[in-house]
Amino acid sequence: MPIDVVDGALPLIDLPPSRPRDPRPGISDASPQELLSWFSDHGEAAFRARQLADHVWSGRALSFDDIHTLPGPLREALGRAYRFSTLTDTEHRSADGGLTDKALHTLDDGRVVESVLMRYPARGPRRERTTLCVSSQAGCAVGCPFCATGELGLWRDLRTSEIIDQARYWRNELAAEGRRLTNIVFMGMGEPLLNADAVLSACGALSDSNRFGLGQRHITVSTSGVIPGIERLTGLRRQYKLAVSLHAARPELRDVLVPLNRRYPLHEVVAAATAYSSATGRRVTYEMVMIDGINDTQADASAAAALLRGRLAHVNLIPMNPVAHTPWRPSPPARVEAFAETLRAVGLHATIRRNRGVDIGAACGQLAAERAGEPTPAAVQRRRDSIERRSAAALVGAPDRLARPGDDTSAGDGA
Ligand code: SAH
Ligand code: SF4
């Protein structure tokens, strides 16, 4: 779905795809029923379909040729109809002493998308977790000015298999370490609910006990506030976790930070998210990227507290990862802490998330943006000027913005 392109949200880099698309679907696009009919159309018994599914969803095979239990001609026929993986190449980087891994996946047409694996060692009663952050689109049309993916614009939607194959890739990598993937979050490149068909079908396969087999509660869909998509999720009555990227509780500022706010205003987004938690009993997570002097003022903290007070909500405060095309910096730690205290004072759960993998550009889309090439300095300057102009206009509505929470105690935090 195209969204209004606002001033400053125009892509900085515009590259054509380097190759034509491969017309074959991925094998992970095929539902169990589709596979059964394919096998029966090819005169094969149903047990062959199950044999194949075992390799696709739990085995270590990297191609149809590795599945020696299937006869050669059948493997060839499968290879003509499907791709075993839709990722043609993957490049790895590690950070945080091996706790964070980032993969840059190349797709059939040469587009690149990212996934990030975060390992959380066991702590006290908490068991070890490995969380994978997957991409749902190559690029993104929403154009949030603090986000590296936003600077690319939308290249294209990912298909179901291109989403699932990021998880299959990491399942194999982790199996080699004797580990399991425990959680998946749609917080990589793209707006999942602007590609809802593929994303919801990927969630279905990832949580199907006969396929990827992850619990619904271990899958998080993060959205910048696509109301029809949230309503669709509510209608499914599944236990997926919903995260809403709020970033500002004042409409005029959210118009700047999340341009989609002009189409789906924040009060309606929060109402739709609240309907999701009423229908599912699940707490909604509200994400707020904390940007120095922009959305971290006392007025912003009070507005967020008033907006979310009394709701089944958890607020995640994330100091902004610096990205090239914005003039903004992360909020100092003391100010983030004070923001959290304002939320806790009205009974909300608020946590501060440490940014993982800053040294490998693990913020959403950062590595892919670097790979896409350098925008011209003039384009970056135009974008920075436009962001500053629009945010300055939005901030006029907050007279007490200079009284930032935590300023009394922030001396020496180096920001
Ligand atoms: N489009 C969806 C999901 C992908 S973005 C959404 O916006 O929710 C996932 C998360 O990464 C969002 O909460 C987004 O705000 C955050 N993010 C983007 N750029 C960031 C940056 N520079 N620093 C920290 N978090 C960032
Ligand atoms: Fe798109 Fe999410 Fe980045 Fe905004 S934060 S530009 S919605 S990927």
Side-chain angles (χ1 to χ4, degrees), residues 2 37 40 88 103 114 116 118 135 155 176 180 198 214 220 227 230-231 244 274 279 301 306 322 329 363:
S37 357
S40 119
T88 60
E114 302 171 12
V116 180
M118 291 158 288
S135 293
W155 285 334
R180 266 178 350 101
L214 214 58
T220 302
I227 293 176
I230 299 175
E231 291 171 345
V244 172
T274 305
R329 310 291 314 158

mmCIF file with all atom_site columns, all heavy atoms in Angstrom, residues 2 37 40 88 103 114 116 118 135 155 176 180 198 214 220 227 230-231 244 274 279 301 306 322 329 363:
data_model
loop_
_atom_site.group_PDB
_atom_site.id
_atom_site.type_symbol
_atom_site.label_atom_id
_atom_site.label_alt_id
_atom_site.label_comp_id
_atom_site.label_asym_id
_atom_site.label_entity_id
_atom_site.label_seq_id
_atom_site.pdbx_PDB_ins_code
_atom_site.Cartn_x
_atom_site.Cartn_y
_atom_site.Cartn_z
_atom_site.occupancy
_atom_site.B_iso_or_equiv
_atom_site.pdbx_formal_charge
_atom_site.auth_seq_id
_atom_site.auth_comp_id
_atom_site.auth_asym_id
_atom_site.auth_atom_id
_atom_site.pdbx_PDB_model_num
ATOM 1   N N   . PRO A 1 2   ? 0.770  2.114   -1.014 1.00 0.00 ? 2   PRO A N   1
ATOM 2   C CA  . PRO A 1 2   ? 1.625  3.308   -0.989 1.00 0.00 ? 2   PRO A CA  1
ATOM 3   C C   . PRO A 1 2   ? 1.154  4.273   0.102  1.00 0.00 ? 2   PRO A C   1
ATOM 4   O O   . PRO A 1 2   ? -0.034 4.377   0.349  1.00 0.00 ? 2   PRO A O   1
ATOM 5   C CB  . PRO A 1 2   ? 1.417  3.917   -2.380 1.00 0.00 ? 2   PRO A CB  1
ATOM 6   C CG  . PRO A 1 2   ? 0.121  3.384   -2.858 1.00 0.00 ? 2   PRO A CG  1
ATOM 7   C CD  . PRO A 1 2   ? -0.130 2.083   -2.157 1.00 0.00 ? 2   PRO A CD  1
ATOM 8   N N   . SER A 1 37  ? -0.560 -31.640 -2.410 1.00 0.00 ? 37  SER A N   1
ATOM 9   C CA  . SER A 1 37  ? -1.121 -31.695 -3.776 1.00 0.00 ? 37  SER A CA  1
ATOM 10  C C   . SER A 1 37  ? -0.013 -31.735 -4.817 1.00 0.00 ? 37  SER A C   1
ATOM 11  O O   . SER A 1 37  ? -0.151 -32.406 -5.845 1.00 0.00 ? 37  SER A O   1
ATOM 12  C CB  . SER A 1 37  ? -2.066 -30.540 -4.118 1.00 0.00 ? 37  SER A CB  1
ATOM 13  O OG  . SER A 1 37  ? -2.274 -29.703 -3.107 1.00 0.00 ? 37  SER A OG  1
ATOM 14  N N   . SER A 1 40  ? 1.063  -35.260 -4.981 1.00 0.00 ? 40  SER A N   1
ATOM 15  C CA  . SER A 1 40  ? 0.075  -36.147 -5.607 1.00 0.00 ? 40  SER A CA  1
ATOM 16  C C   . SER A 1 40  ? -0.011 -35.847 -7.112 1.00 0.00 ? 40  SER A C   1
ATOM 17  O O   . SER A 1 40  ? -0.083 -36.771 -7.928 1.00 0.00 ? 40  SER A O   1
ATOM 18  C CB  . SER A 1 40  ? -1.242 -36.031 -4.847 1.00 0.00 ? 40  SER A CB  1
ATOM 19  O OG  . SER A 1 40  ? -2.264 -35.565 -5.646 1.00 0.00 ? 40  SER A OG  1
ATOM 20  N N   . THR A 1 88  ? 20.062 -15.922 -1.540 1.00 0.00 ? 88  THR A N   1
ATOM 21  C CA  . THR A 1 88  ? 21.106 -16.426 -2.432 1.00 0.00 ? 88  THR A CA  1
ATOM 22  C C   . THR A 1 88  ? 22.492 -16.336 -1.796 1.00 0.00 ? 88  THR A C   1
ATOM 23  O O   . THR A 1 88  ? 23.390 -17.066 -2.153 1.00 0.00 ? 88  THR A O   1
ATOM 24  C CB  . THR A 1 88  ? 21.124 -15.678 -3.782 1.00 0.00 ? 88  THR A CB  1
ATOM 25  O OG1 . THR A 1 88  ? 21.364 -14.301 -3.519 1.00 0.00 ? 88  THR A OG1 1
ATOM 26  C CG2 . THR A 1 88  ? 19.807 -15.829 -4.529 1.00 0.00 ? 88  THR A CG2 1
ATOM 27  N N   . ALA A 1 103 ? 23.270 -10.497 10.006 1.00 0.00 ? 103 ALA A N   1
ATOM 28  C CA  . ALA A 1 103 ? 23.418 -11.117 8.685  1.00 0.00 ? 103 ALA A CA  1
ATOM 29  C C   . ALA A 1 103 ? 22.828 -10.193 7.637  1.00 0.00 ? 103 ALA A C   1
ATOM 30  O O   . ALA A 1 103 ? 21.778 -9.584  7.845  1.00 0.00 ? 103 ALA A O   1
ATOM 31  C CB  . ALA A 1 103 ? 22.694 -12.458 8.653  1.00 0.00 ? 103 ALA A CB  1
ATOM 32  N N   . GLU A 1 114 ? 18.342 -7.377  6.148  1.00 0.00 ? 114 GLU A N   1
ATOM 33  C CA  . GLU A 1 114 ? 19.149 -7.747  7.309  1.00 0.00 ? 114 GLU A CA  1
ATOM 34  C C   . GLU A 1 114 ? 18.355 -8.545  8.319  1.00 0.00 ? 114 GLU A C   1
ATOM 35  O O   . GLU A 1 114 ? 17.153 -8.381  8.442  1.00 0.00 ? 114 GLU A O   1
ATOM 36  C CB  . GLU A 1 114 ? 19.585 -6.475  8.033  1.00 0.00 ? 114 GLU A CB  1
ATOM 37  C CG  . GLU A 1 114 ? 20.345 -5.549  7.170  1.00 0.00 ? 114 GLU A CG  1
ATOM 38  C CD  . GLU A 1 114 ? 20.567 -4.224  7.849  1.00 0.00 ? 114 GLU A CD  1
ATOM 39  O OE1 . GLU A 1 114 ? 20.327 -4.125  9.063  1.00 0.00 ? 114 GLU A OE1 1
ATOM 40  O OE2 . GLU A 1 114 ? 20.968 -3.291  7.154  1.00 0.00 ? 114 GLU A OE2 1
ATOM 41  N N   . VAL A 1 116 ? 19.107 -9.760  12.579 1.00 0.00 ? 116 VAL A N   1
ATOM 42  C CA  . VAL A 1 116 ? 20.046 -9.612  13.691 1.00 0.00 ? 116 VAL A CA  1
ATOM 43  C C   . VAL A 1 116 ? 19.703 -10.644 14.758 1.00 0.00 ? 116 VAL A C   1
ATOM 44  O O   . VAL A 1 116 ? 18.536 -10.754 15.156 1.00 0.00 ? 116 VAL A O   1
ATOM 45  C CB  . VAL A 1 116 ? 19.976 -8.190  14.315 1.00 0.00 ? 116 VAL A CB  1
ATOM 46  C CG1 . VAL A 1 116 ? 20.970 -8.060  15.463 1.00 0.00 ? 116 VAL A CG1 1
ATOM 47  C CG2 . VAL A 1 116 ? 20.243 -7.123  13.264 1.00 0.00 ? 116 VAL A CG2 1
ATOM 48  N N   . MET A 1 118 ? 20.269 -11.892 18.569 1.00 0.00 ? 118 MET A N   1
ATOM 49  C CA  . MET A 1 118 ? 20.760 -11.435 19.874 1.00 0.00 ? 118 MET A CA  1
ATOM 50  C C   . MET A 1 118 ? 20.713 -12.590 20.862 1.00 0.00 ? 118 MET A C   1
ATOM 51  O O   . MET A 1 118 ? 19.663 -13.219 21.024 1.00 0.00 ? 118 MET A O   1
ATOM 52  C CB  . MET A 1 118 ? 19.889 -10.272 20.360 1.00 0.00 ? 118 MET A CB  1
ATOM 53  C CG  . MET A 1 118 ? 20.097 -9.023  19.508 1.00 0.00 ? 118 MET A CG  1
ATOM 54  S SD  . MET A 1 118 ? 18.713 -7.876  19.583 1.00 0.00 ? 118 MET A SD  1
ATOM 55  C CE  . MET A 1 118 ? 17.473 -8.736  18.630 1.00 0.00 ? 118 MET A CE  1
ATOM 56  N N   . SER A 1 135 ? 13.544 -9.031  8.904  1.00 0.00 ? 135 SER A N   1
ATOM 57  C CA  . SER A 1 135 ? 13.024 -7.985  8.025  1.00 0.00 ? 135 SER A CA  1
ATOM 58  C C   . SER A 1 135 ? 11.752 -8.465  7.346  1.00 0.00 ? 135 SER A C   1
ATOM 59  O O   . SER A 1 135 ? 11.609 -9.649  7.047  1.00 0.00 ? 135 SER A O   1
ATOM 60  C CB  . SER A 1 135 ? 14.058 -7.636  6.949  1.00 0.00 ? 135 SER A CB  1
ATOM 61  O OG  . SER A 1 135 ? 15.179 -7.020  7.541  1.00 0.00 ? 135 SER A OG  1
ATOM 62  N N   . TRP A 1 155 ? 11.841 -0.521  -1.396 1.00 0.00 ? 155 TRP A N   1
ATOM 63  C CA  . TRP A 1 155 ? 12.223 -1.212  -2.619 1.00 0.00 ? 155 TRP A CA  1
ATOM 64  C C   . TRP A 1 155 ? 11.138 -2.205  -3.001 1.00 0.00 ? 155 TRP A C   1
ATOM 65  O O   . TRP A 1 155 ? 10.541 -2.130  -4.037 1.00 0.00 ? 155 TRP A O   1
ATOM 66  C CB  . TRP A 1 155 ? 13.578 -1.897  -2.440 1.00 0.00 ? 155 TRP A CB  1
ATOM 67  C CG  . TRP A 1 155 ? 14.722 -0.932  -2.480 1.00 0.00 ? 155 TRP A CG  1
ATOM 68  C CD1 . TRP A 1 155 ? 14.748 0.284   -3.111 1.00 0.00 ? 155 TRP A CD1 1
ATOM 69  C CD2 . TRP A 1 155 ? 15.996 -1.097  -1.860 1.00 0.00 ? 155 TRP A CD2 1
ATOM 70  N NE1 . TRP A 1 155 ? 15.975 0.874   -2.921 1.00 0.00 ? 155 TRP A NE1 1
ATOM 71  C CE2 . TRP A 1 155 ? 16.761 0.045   -2.162 1.00 0.00 ? 155 TRP A CE2 1
ATOM 72  C CE3 . TRP A 1 155 ? 16.566 -2.097  -1.084 1.00 0.00 ? 155 TRP A CE3 1
ATOM 73  C CZ2 . TRP A 1 155 ? 18.069 0.224   -1.728 1.00 0.00 ? 155 TRP A CZ2 1
ATOM 74  C CZ3 . TRP A 1 155 ? 17.868 -1.934  -0.648 1.00 0.00 ? 155 TRP A CZ3 1
ATOM 75  C CH2 . TRP A 1 155 ? 18.606 -0.776  -0.963 1.00 0.00 ? 155 TRP A CH2 1
ATOM 76  N N   . ALA A 1 176 ? 24.250 -25.637 14.848 1.00 0.00 ? 176 ALA A N   1
ATOM 77  C CA  . ALA A 1 176 ? 25.672 -26.000 14.830 1.00 0.00 ? 176 ALA A CA  1
ATOM 78  C C   . ALA A 1 176 ? 26.331 -25.680 16.173 1.00 0.00 ? 176 ALA A C   1
ATOM 79  O O   . ALA A 1 176 ? 27.347 -26.267 16.535 1.00 0.00 ? 176 ALA A O   1
ATOM 80  C CB  . ALA A 1 176 ? 26.372 -25.261 13.691 1.00 0.00 ? 176 ALA A CB  1
ATOM 81  N N   . ARG A 1 180 ? 19.092 -23.229 20.233 1.00 0.00 ? 180 ARG A N   1
ATOM 82  C CA  . ARG A 1 180 ? 17.802 -23.105 19.567 1.00 0.00 ? 180 ARG A CA  1
ATOM 83  C C   . ARG A 1 180 ? 17.430 -21.641 19.440 1.00 0.00 ? 180 ARG A C   1
ATOM 84  O O   . ARG A 1 180 ? 17.812 -20.837 20.285 1.00 0.00 ? 180 ARG A O   1
ATOM 85  C CB  . ARG A 1 180 ? 16.718 -23.699 20.474 1.00 0.00 ? 180 ARG A CB  1
ATOM 86  C CG  . ARG A 1 180 ? 16.365 -25.067 20.272 1.00 0.00 ? 180 ARG A CG  1
ATOM 87  C CD  . ARG A 1 180 ? 15.320 -25.622 21.237 1.00 0.00 ? 180 ARG A CD  1
ATOM 88  N NE  . ARG A 1 180 ? 14.914 -24.866 22.398 1.00 0.00 ? 180 ARG A NE  1
ATOM 89  C CZ  . ARG A 1 180 ? 13.793 -24.153 22.483 1.00 0.00 ? 180 ARG A CZ  1
ATOM 90  N NH1 . ARG A 1 180 ? 12.984 -24.044 21.442 1.00 0.00 ? 180 ARG A NH1 1
ATOM 91  N NH2 . ARG A 1 180 ? 13.475 -23.525 23.591 1.00 0.00 ? 180 ARG A NH2 1
ATOM 92  N N   . ALA A 1 198 ? 1.991  -11.419 3.648  1.00 0.00 ? 198 ALA A N   1
ATOM 93  C CA  . ALA A 1 198 ? 3.197  -12.252 3.758  1.00 0.00 ? 198 ALA A CA  1
ATOM 94  C C   . ALA A 1 198 ? 3.602  -12.425 5.220  1.00 0.00 ? 198 ALA A C   1
ATOM 95  O O   . ALA A 1 198 ? 3.987  -13.511 5.647  1.00 0.00 ? 198 ALA A O   1
ATOM 96  C CB  . ALA A 1 198 ? 4.334  -11.629 2.960  1.00 0.00 ? 198 ALA A CB  1
ATOM 97  N N   . LEU A 1 214 ? 7.565  -22.520 16.648 1.00 0.00 ? 214 LEU A N   1
ATOM 98  C CA  . LEU A 1 214 ? 7.788  -21.567 17.746 1.00 0.00 ? 214 LEU A CA  1
ATOM 99  C C   . LEU A 1 214 ? 6.429  -21.218 18.362 1.00 0.00 ? 214 LEU A C   1
ATOM 100 O O   . LEU A 1 214 ? 5.437  -21.126 17.632 1.00 0.00 ? 214 LEU A O   1
ATOM 101 C CB  . LEU A 1 214 ? 8.405  -20.315 17.122 1.00 0.00 ? 214 LEU A CB  1
ATOM 102 C CG  . LEU A 1 214 ? 9.416  -19.512 17.892 1.00 0.00 ? 214 LEU A CG  1
ATOM 103 C CD1 . LEU A 1 214 ? 10.602 -20.366 18.290 1.00 0.00 ? 214 LEU A CD1 1
ATOM 104 C CD2 . LEU A 1 214 ? 9.894  -18.355 17.014 1.00 0.00 ? 214 LEU A CD2 1
ATOM 105 N N   . THR A 1 220 ? 6.925  -11.531 17.963 1.00 0.00 ? 220 THR A N   1
ATOM 106 C CA  . THR A 1 220 ? 6.474  -10.149 18.168 1.00 0.00 ? 220 THR A CA  1
ATOM 107 C C   . THR A 1 220 ? 6.357  -9.427  16.833 1.00 0.00 ? 220 THR A C   1
ATOM 108 O O   . THR A 1 220 ? 7.299  -9.416  16.044 1.00 0.00 ? 220 THR A O   1
ATOM 109 C CB  . THR A 1 220 ? 7.495  -9.372  19.040 1.00 0.00 ? 220 THR A CB  1
ATOM 110 O OG1 . THR A 1 220 ? 7.636  -10.049 20.286 1.00 0.00 ? 220 THR A OG1 1
ATOM 111 C CG2 . THR A 1 220 ? 7.047  -7.940  19.287 1.00 0.00 ? 220 THR A CG2 1
ATOM 112 N N   . ILE A 1 227 ? -3.304 0.814   11.355 1.00 0.00 ? 227 ILE A N   1
ATOM 113 C CA  . ILE A 1 227 ? -4.526 0.395   12.058 1.00 0.00 ? 227 ILE A CA  1
ATOM 114 C C   . ILE A 1 227 ? -5.216 -0.819  11.397 1.00 0.00 ? 227 ILE A C   1
ATOM 115 O O   . ILE A 1 227 ? -5.548 -1.779  12.088 1.00 0.00 ? 227 ILE A O   1
ATOM 116 C CB  . ILE A 1 227 ? -5.485 1.591   12.245 1.00 0.00 ? 227 ILE A CB  1
ATOM 117 C CG1 . ILE A 1 227 ? -4.828 2.575   13.222 1.00 0.00 ? 227 ILE A CG1 1
ATOM 118 C CG2 . ILE A 1 227 ? -6.844 1.134   12.778 1.00 0.00 ? 227 ILE A CG2 1
ATOM 119 C CD1 . ILE A 1 227 ? -5.601 3.851   13.451 1.00 0.00 ? 227 ILE A CD1 1
ATOM 120 N N   . ILE A 1 230 ? -3.415 -3.872  12.497 1.00 0.00 ? 230 ILE A N   1
ATOM 121 C CA  . ILE A 1 230 ? -3.622 -4.210  13.921 1.00 0.00 ? 230 ILE A CA  1
ATOM 122 C C   . ILE A 1 230 ? -4.998 -4.873  14.074 1.00 0.00 ? 230 ILE A C   1
ATOM 123 O O   . ILE A 1 230 ? -5.154 -5.873  14.772 1.00 0.00 ? 230 ILE A O   1
ATOM 124 C CB  . ILE A 1 230 ? -3.521 -2.947  14.816 1.00 0.00 ? 230 ILE A CB  1
ATOM 125 C CG1 . ILE A 1 230 ? -2.123 -2.320  14.699 1.00 0.00 ? 230 ILE A CG1 1
ATOM 126 C CG2 . ILE A 1 230 ? -3.836 -3.286  16.270 1.00 0.00 ? 230 ILE A CG2 1
ATOM 127 C CD1 . ILE A 1 230 ? -1.947 -0.999  15.431 1.00 0.00 ? 230 ILE A CD1 1
ATOM 128 N N   . GLU A 1 231 ? -6.001 -4.329  13.346 1.00 0.00 ? 231 GLU A N   1
ATOM 129 C CA  . GLU A 1 231 ? -7.348 -4.912  13.445 1.00 0.00 ? 231 GLU A CA  1
ATOM 130 C C   . GLU A 1 231 ? -7.369 -6.333  12.896 1.00 0.00 ? 231 GLU A C   1
ATOM 131 O O   . GLU A 1 231 ? -8.050 -7.211  13.414 1.00 0.00 ? 231 GLU A O   1
ATOM 132 C CB  . GLU A 1 231 ? -8.353 -4.019  12.697 1.00 0.00 ? 231 GLU A CB  1
ATOM 133 C CG  . GLU A 1 231 ? -8.553 -2.698  13.432 1.00 0.00 ? 231 GLU A CG  1
ATOM 134 C CD  . GLU A 1 231 ? -9.367 -1.669  12.644 1.00 0.00 ? 231 GLU A CD  1
ATOM 135 O OE1 . GLU A 1 231 ? -9.545 -1.845  11.412 1.00 0.00 ? 231 GLU A OE1 1
ATOM 136 O OE2 . GLU A 1 231 ? -9.800 -0.685  13.252 1.00 0.00 ? 231 GLU A OE2 1
ATOM 137 N N   . VAL A 1 244 ? 4.016  -1.506  19.441 1.00 0.00 ? 244 VAL A N   1
ATOM 138 C CA  . VAL A 1 244 ? 3.656  -0.309  18.678 1.00 0.00 ? 244 VAL A CA  1
ATOM 139 C C   . VAL A 1 244 ? 4.784  0.704   18.833 1.00 0.00 ? 244 VAL A C   1
ATOM 140 O O   . VAL A 1 244 ? 5.183  1.033   19.954 1.00 0.00 ? 244 VAL A O   1
ATOM 141 C CB  . VAL A 1 244 ? 2.320  0.292   19.185 1.00 0.00 ? 244 VAL A CB  1
ATOM 142 C CG1 . VAL A 1 244 ? 2.035  1.632   18.530 1.00 0.00 ? 244 VAL A CG1 1
ATOM 143 C CG2 . VAL A 1 244 ? 1.170  -0.684  18.929 1.00 0.00 ? 244 VAL A CG2 1
ATOM 144 N N   . THR A 1 274 ? -5.207 -1.229  22.068 1.00 0.00 ? 274 THR A N   1
ATOM 145 C CA  . THR A 1 274 ? -5.908 -1.592  23.304 1.00 0.00 ? 274 THR A CA  1
ATOM 146 C C   . THR A 1 274 ? -6.971 -2.657  23.000 1.00 0.00 ? 274 THR A C   1
ATOM 147 O O   . THR A 1 274 ? -7.171 -3.592  23.783 1.00 0.00 ? 274 THR A O   1
ATOM 148 C CB  . THR A 1 274 ? -6.537 -0.324  23.939 1.00 0.00 ? 274 THR A CB  1
ATOM 149 O OG1 . THR A 1 274 ? -5.483 0.631   24.117 1.00 0.00 ? 274 THR A OG1 1
ATOM 150 C CG2 . THR A 1 274 ? -7.183 -0.625  25.279 1.00 0.00 ? 274 THR A CG2 1
ATOM 151 N N   . ALA A 1 279 ? -8.794 -8.248  23.356 1.00 0.00 ? 279 ALA A N   1
ATOM 152 C CA  . ALA A 1 279 ? -9.219 -9.480  22.682 1.00 0.00 ? 279 ALA A CA  1
ATOM 153 C C   . ALA A 1 279 ? -8.308 -10.661 23.019 1.00 0.00 ? 279 ALA A C   1
ATOM 154 O O   . ALA A 1 279 ? -8.756 -11.800 23.031 1.00 0.00 ? 279 ALA A O   1
ATOM 155 C CB  . ALA A 1 279 ? -9.251 -9.260  21.167 1.00 0.00 ? 279 ALA A CB  1
ATOM 156 N N   . ALA A 1 301 ? 7.259  13.118  28.412 1.00 0.00 ? 301 ALA A N   1
ATOM 157 C CA  . ALA A 1 301 ? 7.080  12.024  29.377 1.00 0.00 ? 301 ALA A CA  1
ATOM 158 C C   . ALA A 1 301 ? 5.680  12.091  29.972 1.00 0.00 ? 301 ALA A C   1
ATOM 159 O O   . ALA A 1 301 ? 4.984  11.066  30.079 1.00 0.00 ? 301 ALA A O   1
ATOM 160 C CB  . ALA A 1 301 ? 8.144  12.131  30.471 1.00 0.00 ? 301 ALA A CB  1
ATOM 161 N N   . ALA A 1 306 ? 0.103  10.107  30.402 1.00 0.00 ? 306 ALA A N   1
ATOM 162 C CA  . ALA A 1 306 ? -1.343 10.346  30.355 1.00 0.00 ? 306 ALA A CA  1
ATOM 163 C C   . ALA A 1 306 ? -2.006 9.462   29.293 1.00 0.00 ? 306 ALA A C   1
ATOM 164 O O   . ALA A 1 306 ? -3.097 8.937   29.497 1.00 0.00 ? 306 ALA A O   1
ATOM 165 C CB  . ALA A 1 306 ? -1.606 11.828  30.056 1.00 0.00 ? 306 ALA A CB  1
ATOM 166 N N   . PRO A 1 322 ? 22.745 6.233   16.621 1.00 0.00 ? 322 PRO A N   1
ATOM 167 C CA  . PRO A 1 322 ? 22.996 7.324   15.664 1.00 0.00 ? 322 PRO A CA  1
ATOM 168 C C   . PRO A 1 322 ? 22.995 6.807   14.220 1.00 0.00 ? 322 PRO A C   1
ATOM 169 O O   . PRO A 1 322 ? 23.519 5.727   13.958 1.00 0.00 ? 322 PRO A O   1
ATOM 170 C CB  . PRO A 1 322 ? 24.399 7.810   16.053 1.00 0.00 ? 322 PRO A CB  1
ATOM 171 C CG  . PRO A 1 322 ? 24.640 7.286   17.427 1.00 0.00 ? 322 PRO A CG  1
ATOM 172 C CD  . PRO A 1 322 ? 23.845 6.025   17.545 1.00 0.00 ? 322 PRO A CD  1
ATOM 173 N N   . ARG A 1 329 ? 20.954 12.928  18.201 1.00 0.00 ? 329 ARG A N   1
ATOM 174 C CA  . ARG A 1 329 ? 21.804 12.103  19.058 1.00 0.00 ? 329 ARG A CA  1
ATOM 175 C C   . ARG A 1 329 ? 20.925 11.333  20.039 1.00 0.00 ? 329 ARG A C   1
ATOM 176 O O   . ARG A 1 329 ? 19.794 11.743  20.301 1.00 0.00 ? 329 ARG A O   1
ATOM 177 C CB  . ARG A 1 329 ? 22.770 12.993  19.880 1.00 0.00 ? 329 ARG A CB  1
ATOM 178 C CG  . ARG A 1 329 ? 23.557 14.037  19.112 1.00 0.00 ? 329 ARG A CG  1
ATOM 179 C CD  . ARG A 1 329 ? 24.599 13.435  18.211 1.00 0.00 ? 329 ARG A CD  1
ATOM 180 N NE  . ARG A 1 329 ? 25.381 12.403  18.885 1.00 0.00 ? 329 ARG A NE  1
ATOM 181 C CZ  . ARG A 1 329 ? 26.038 11.445  18.225 1.00 0.00 ? 329 ARG A CZ  1
ATOM 182 N NH1 . ARG A 1 329 ? 25.983 11.393  16.902 1.00 0.00 ? 329 ARG A NH1 1
ATOM 183 N NH2 . ARG A 1 329 ? 26.748 10.558  18.879 1.00 0.00 ? 329 ARG A NH2 1
ATOM 184 N N   . ALA A 1 363 ? 21.364 -1.084  14.065 1.00 0.00 ? 363 ALA A N   1
ATOM 185 C CA  . ALA A 1 363 ? 20.056 -0.417  14.059 1.00 0.00 ? 363 ALA A CA  1
ATOM 186 C C   . ALA A 1 363 ? 19.389 -0.807  12.754 1.00 0.00 ? 363 ALA A C   1
ATOM 187 O O   . ALA A 1 363 ? 20.047 -1.061  11.749 1.00 0.00 ? 363 ALA A O   1
ATOM 188 C CB  . ALA A 1 363 ? 20.218 1.090   14.134 1.00 0.00 ? 363 ALA A CB  1
#
